[in-house]
Amino acid sequence: LLSNAVRFADPMKPKPWVRITSERDGSWARVRVVDNGVGLPEGSHGRVFALFQRLHPTSGDGIGLALVQRYVGLLGGRVSCHPGEGEASTELRVELPADA
């Protein structure tokens, strides 16, 4: 998640940034990775975790986020992608059982 956020920084923005936050909510640990990078094409958030899915011309091989989803699932968690708010372009959320 972090390497994707850094790799897809928007070179047209004077101050690219990545924000990582975490919290515990009952039996869940939540991590959010938000950035103001190039973002994702409209309507593609549902496809971002598909194996070999390349959603940006400069993207890699389409394996990274599929592996993230797979490993988070093996730990009993879930990962999701959302449009960012304000200056943010993308938000990725990971939820894991706090005892994982």
Side-chain angles (χ1 to χ4, degrees):
L1 296 178
L2 300 179
S3 65
N4 273 3
V6 171
R7 185 176 355 151
F8 295 110
D10 188 342
M12 303 304 289
K13 293 182 180 167
K15 292 186 179 183
W17 52 264
V18 176
R19 184 179 307 124
I20 305 159
T21 59
S22 64
E23 67 180 4
R24 184 171 177 157
D25 183 11
S27 61
W28 290 96
R30 294 191 173 102
V31 176
R32 294 172 51 179
V33 178
V34 183
D35 65 66
N36 71 337
V38 296
L40 296 168
E42 186 72 30
S44 67
H45 289 93
R47 298 187 334 239
V48 73
F49 298 106
L51 191 59
F52 303 120
Q53 186 68 238
R54 298 182 67 208
L55 300 175
H56 193 272
T58 62
S59 63
D61 49 24
I63 294 176
L65 291 179
L67 287 176
V68 168
Q69 184 180 48
R70 170 86 169 131
Y71 293 137
V72 167
L74 289 172
L75 291 170
R78 53 190 173 253
V79 61
S80 57
C81 180
H82 306 272
E85 297 179 13
E87 294 181 32
S89 62
T90 306
E91 177 179 332
L92 291 161
R93 300 176 191 164
V94 175
E95 296 179 298
L96 292 167
D99 59 356

